[in-house]
């Protein structure tokens, strides 16, 4: 049974730490997210981090949070892993990322996001210039989503880490990511890590990508640029 989030719970969390709301595993559901979203929309909001891990949040709750992210200018991290967010919710959050300029990390692991949900997030990455870490482990983005994200990596210059473990990504998607990483490194992007653990792709492709991301590879590229 979903337990509506009471205003006092938010206030209690903020009284302990005015910059962090920890409501992990409280089963607040979509209904409980609305008040928290309203808090984020306040001009005097001090919230920098929100943990909503394991709260049965679906597309409705994701839409509420997306609306808040378009207006908020303080939040830097949001944990939405182990919820029920599907493609439509991912699309709403992606739309918010196109407008938001303060969020540094978004955790969407173990939801129900498939290929076109990942494509929506990829489109946002081509525009967003502040997000540093994107966690999508345990979804089902498959090759379609991986290829879309690969295209975004060629454009994006601020993302540092992307966790795509356990997403049913095969050789086609992994290869697209490896090629994109090589191009991104040449452009001296901030990218440092892509996690593909638990995907049915050949290890040699993953090794190629890791090699491109290694500090040695970056040093060679930087030295080459200096000589040029």
């Amino acid at each position: 049974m979903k337990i509506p989030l009471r205003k006092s719970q938010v206030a209690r969390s903020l009284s302990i730490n005015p910059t962090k709301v920890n409501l992990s595993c409280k089963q607040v559901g979509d209904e409980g997210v609305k008040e928290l979203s309203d808090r984020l929309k306040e001009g005097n909001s001090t919230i920098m981090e929100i943990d909503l891990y394991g709260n049965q949040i679906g597309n409705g709750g994701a839409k509420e949070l997306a609306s808040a992210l378009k207006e908020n200018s303080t939040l830097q991290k949001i944990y939405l892993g182990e919820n029920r967010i599907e493609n439509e919710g991912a699309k709403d959050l992606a739309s918010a990322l196109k407008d938001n300029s303060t969020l540094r990390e978004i955790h969407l692991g173990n939801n129900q996001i498939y290929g076109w949900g990942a494509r929506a997030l990829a489109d946002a990455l081509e525009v967003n210039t502040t997000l540093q870490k994107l966690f999508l482990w345990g979804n089902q983005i498959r090759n379609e989503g991986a290829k879309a994200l690969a295209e975004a990596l060629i454009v994006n210059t601020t993302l540092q880490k992307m966790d795509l473990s356990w997403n049913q990504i095969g050789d086609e998607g992994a290869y697209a990511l490896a090629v994109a990483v090589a191009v991104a490194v040449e452009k001296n992007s901030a990218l440092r890590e892509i996690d593909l653990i638990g995907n049915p792709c050949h290890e040699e492709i993953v090794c190629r990508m890791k090699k491109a991301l290694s500090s040695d590879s970056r040093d060679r590229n930087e030295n080459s640029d200096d000589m040029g």
Side-chain angles (χ1 to χ4, degrees):
M1 183 180 71
K2 295 179 180 178
I3 303 172
L5 179 63
R6 297 178 181 177
K7 187 174 182 179
S8 60
Q9 288 179 291
V10 177
R12 190 179 304 114
S13 180
L14 289 173
S15 68
I16 297 171
N17 187 340
T19 64
K20 180 178 179 178
V21 176
N22 188 349
L23 295 167
S24 176
C25 299
K26 299 295 184 184
Q27 296 186 335
V28 299
D30 290 347
E31 300 88 346
V33 170
K34 187 179 186 309
E35 186 195 334
L36 190 53
S37 297
D38 290 341
R39 287 282 188 129
L40 286 172
K41 292 178 182 178
E42 294 176 358
N44 62 346
S45 173
T46 59
I47 304 172
M48 298 178 66
E49 182 176 333
I50 293 176
D51 189 346
L52 289 169
Y53 183 92
N55 269 292
Q56 301 182 32
I57 296 168
N59 292 336
K63 187 172 184 176
E64 288 286 351
L65 289 168
S67 176
L69 287 174
K70 289 183 177 183
E71 299 183 30
N72 179 268
S73 60
T74 61
L75 193 67
Q76 295 184 9
K77 297 181 183 180
I78 185 165
Y79 296 82
L80 292 168
E82 293 279 0
N83 281 293
R84 298 176 178 177
I85 298 170
E86 301 173 336
N87 288 333
E88 196 62 38
K91 181 180 177 181
D92 287 328
L93 290 168
S95 177
L97 289 176
K98 291 180 179 181
D99 296 328
N100 184 278
S101 61
T102 56
L103 198 66
R104 300 292 185 268
E105 292 185 26
I106 184 166
H107 294 246
L108 291 165
N110 206 19
N111 278 282
Q112 297 168 28
I113 300 170
Y114 287 75
W116 75 263
R119 178 167 290 280
L121 290 167
D123 289 344
L125 288 178
E126 293 188 9
V127 178
N128 183 282
T129 59
T130 53
L131 193 71
Q132 297 174 352
K133 297 180 181 180
L134 172 62
F135 294 81
L136 282 169
W137 55 269
N139 284 282
Q140 294 288 327
I141 73 167
R142 301 177 183 269
N143 287 334
E144 176 189 356
K147 288 191 291 184
L149 290 166
E151 293 173 7
L153 290 178
I154 295 174
V155 178
N156 183 283
T157 58
T158 55
L159 195 70
Q160 297 176 6
K161 175 174 181 174
M162 185 161 59
D163 188 342
L164 302 178
S165 55
W166 303 101
N167 262 288
Q168 291 299 309
I169 297 170
D171 287 346
E172 185 180 355
Y175 181 77
L177 287 166
V179 171
V181 164
V183 174
V185 169
E186 288 287 344
K187 293 171 62 178
N188 204 24
S189 76
L191 193 63
R192 292 293 182 273
E193 182 181 354
I194 295 181
D195 194 341
L196 288 176
I197 291 174
N199 286 294
C201 54
H202 280 86
E203 185 63 26
E204 63 187 67
I205 302 175
V206 178
C207 288
R208 173 181 173 178
M209 186 177 64
K210 288 181 177 179
K211 184 177 180 180
L213 288 169
S214 70
S215 58
D216 288 344
S217 177
R218 289 179 181 275
D219 289 342
R220 285 194 297 271
N221 287 332
E222 289 172 3
N223 290 335
S224 176
D225 290 342
D226 291 340
M227 291 174 63

